[in-house]
Amino acid sequence: TLRARLEARGKETVAHTRARLRSHTDEAMRSLARSEETAARTAQQARAHNADVGEARDNVQKLFEGARTRAVVRKEKMLEATFASRRAVNKLDMEERRAVAKLEKELEERRNRAVRT
């Protein structure tokens, strides 16, 4: 009968629609699982990258601090050398002044002796 055929077709259509919905739902769930795996992998890579960047930043900071320390030490050594050379020059100047004073005194004594004789 027509009614029986219509009911059967309706049942087939409902079953087919349910199967299609179930298939689409399963595919959506698999897609969601893949997306979650990708997101987890990306997050792990980002954490690893951030750790690498942090380590690189620390290494660069250490290099700069080392360079700064070496520059300070070098500057201190240069200042020490400069002061040492100034002290040596001052010492030579004083010795020269003493020698000149001694010579002038000796010259004065000779003049005095020459005047007396």
Side-chain angles (χ1 to χ4, degrees):
T1 65
L2 182 61
R3 183 179 176 143
R5 278 189 290 168
L6 285 175
E7 284 178 4
R9 190 176 291 161
K11 286 180 183 175
E12 283 177 19
T13 304
V14 167
H16 182 68
T17 303
R18 279 190 182 142
R20 243 185 15 227
L21 282 173
R22 197 173 302 117
S23 171
H24 288 317
T25 303
D26 291 347
E27 180 57 34
M29 293 300 281
R30 282 192 297 274
S31 176
L32 178 63
R34 282 192 304 271
S35 295
E36 288 174 344
E37 288 172 6
T38 302
R41 228 180 1 262
T42 303
Q44 176 58 36
Q45 290 170 349
R47 283 192 293 275
H49 174 73
N50 287 342
D52 290 345
V53 167
E55 184 179 341
R57 187 182 309 117
D58 291 346
N59 289 340
V60 168
Q61 184 67 29
K62 286 177 189 170
L63 287 174
F64 277 131
E65 287 173 2
R68 191 177 305 123
T69 301
R70 286 190 299 278
V72 166
V73 167
R74 213 173 11 254
K75 185 175 181 180
E76 287 174 353
K77 285 183 178 177
M78 285 178 18
L79 285 173
E80 286 174 14
T82 302
F83 291 144
S85 95
R86 284 183 186 167
R87 282 192 299 272
V89 167
N90 288 342
K91 186 176 178 184
L92 286 174
D93 284 349
M94 285 183 59
E95 288 175 3
E96 184 182 4
R97 278 189 239 123
R98 282 190 198 125
V100 167
K102 186 176 177 183
L103 288 173
E104 286 175 348
K105 185 176 179 183
E106 195 176 309
L107 182 62
E108 186 67 30
E109 286 175 2
R110 286 185 182 179
R111 282 186 190 146
N112 289 341
R113 271 190 257 138
V115 167
R116 278 186 251 144
T117 52

